[in-house]
Amino acid sequence: DAGVTQSPTHLIKTRGQHVTLRCSPISGHKSVSWYQQVLGQGPQFIFQYYEKEERGRGNFPDRFSARQFPNYSSELNVNALLLGDSALYLCASSLSGGKTEAFFGQGTRLTVV
Amino acid sequence: GDSVTQMEGPVTLSEEAFLTINCTYTATGYPSLFWYVQYPGEGLQLLLKATKADDKGSNKGFEATYRKETTSFHLEKGSVQVSDSAVYFCALGLNSGGYQKVTFGIGTKLQVIP
């Protein structure tokens, strides 16, 4: 079975640009969460989506947005990129939004120059 | 707010040594507790979990006990191997509005030398 897949694996962008990161959850999983992991830190929660609706949002500016599609895949969008947005962005999928195990993808490494 | 505090690394051990990585938490409700492992260049993998007080999670020789009285969830392994070298994250999960928000610690890098 395929795990959580994220694309692209690496990305380099310039300050002020926009970026879209993609995530495909494990088949049958309806919930997707996004995390930002800055080098040397633990992952920080950004969003959770369940059944195409936003169910939770972390402490991130409005430059960060996301959506979930009918096939449960998800996109994370970041506008007006800052140098501080450079991080590993992790996607996790789970069966539902509650107390179910989350499975993580390998992440997208975003570098803003 | 909710938070997780874990010992900073790196931790360097010889093969077959005993491992302890300390983790304490602060939470407003009754969290589930997790240990995740991240191998170089990979995403996070759930290592073990405990969902209520006094539960013991265990996997691959690692274990941790949910201690509500000390708000701790220390990770232990009796005999580490070189293949255990990775970054270990302690985390707590709380349900809020129908979703589970997971809060991670800073991570502890473990290096096991032959």
Side-chain angles (χ1 to χ4, degrees):
Chain A
D1 283 342
V4 178
T5 57
Q6 293 186 242
S7 63
T9 54
H10 295 83
L11 199 54
I12 299 176
K13 288 287 190 177
T14 304
R15 275 179 300 175
Q17 283 189 315
H18 161 91
V19 69
T20 297
L21 310 180
R22 296 178 175 82
C23 172
S24 293
I26 292 171
S27 178
H29 284 193
K30 298 181 179 180
S31 178
V32 169
S33 298
W34 287 94
Y35 292 81
Q36 180 195 64
Q37 186 179 12
V38 173
L39 193 64
Q41 302 289 323
Q44 298 290 316
F45 172 75
I46 310 175
F47 289 110
Q48 185 182 61
Y49 277 76
Y50 177 64
E51 289 283 14
K52 302 180 287 296
E53 290 188 4
E54 181 185 302
R55 292 298 183 95
R57 172 186 284 256
N59 188 24
F60 279 81
D62 292 344
R63 299 185 296 108
F64 289 76
S65 63
R67 56 180 177 170
Q68 187 176 33
F69 299 98
N71 65 354
Y72 303 109
S73 67
S74 178
E75 285 182 353
L76 175 69
N77 296 284
V78 187
N79 292 324
L81 284 166
L82 303 174
L83 295 180
D85 295 330
S86 296
L88 179 68
Y89 288 85
L90 294 166
C91 172
S93 80
S94 58
L95 280 170
S96 67
K99 277 192 172 183
T100 57
E101 180 180 343
F103 294 82
F104 284 81
Q106 292 194 335
T108 294
R109 172 71 63 187
L110 171 65
T111 302
V112 182
V113 297
Chain B
D2 306 322
S3 65
V4 174
T5 302
Q6 62 181 107
M7 57 191 293
E8 292 194 32
V11 174
T12 302
L13 294 174
S14 297
E15 204 165 22
E16 299 183 1
F18 183 84
L19 168 71
T20 299
I21 300 178
N22 291 334
C23 170
T24 56
Y25 68 91
T26 302
T28 52
Y30 299 96
S32 296
L33 300 175
F34 310 93
W35 277 100
Y36 283 87
V37 58
Q38 187 173 37
Y39 297 101
E42 297 187 12
L44 296 171
Q45 299 177 27
L46 180 64
L47 180 60
L48 53 85
K49 67 178 181 181
T51 58
K52 61 182 186 297
D54 300 324
D55 270 2
K56 177 185 282 188
S58 61
N59 186 26
K60 299 180 181 179
F62 291 89
E63 58 182 35
T65 301
Y66 190 142
R67 301 287 189 199
K68 188 178 178 184
E69 63 275 14
T70 55
T71 61
S72 64
F73 193 56
H74 305 321
L75 182 68
E76 296 182 336
K77 186 175 185 182
S79 176
V80 294
Q81 305 300 313
V82 172
S83 57
D84 293 327
S85 298
V87 180
Y88 292 81
F89 292 92
C90 184
L92 68 85
L94 276 169
N95 282 3
S96 175
Y99 77 99
Q100 182 173 85
K101 177 184 174 183
V102 182
T103 301
F104 289 85
I106 195 172
T108 301
K109 183 175 182 179
L110 170 66
Q111 183 177 11
V112 181
I113 54 177

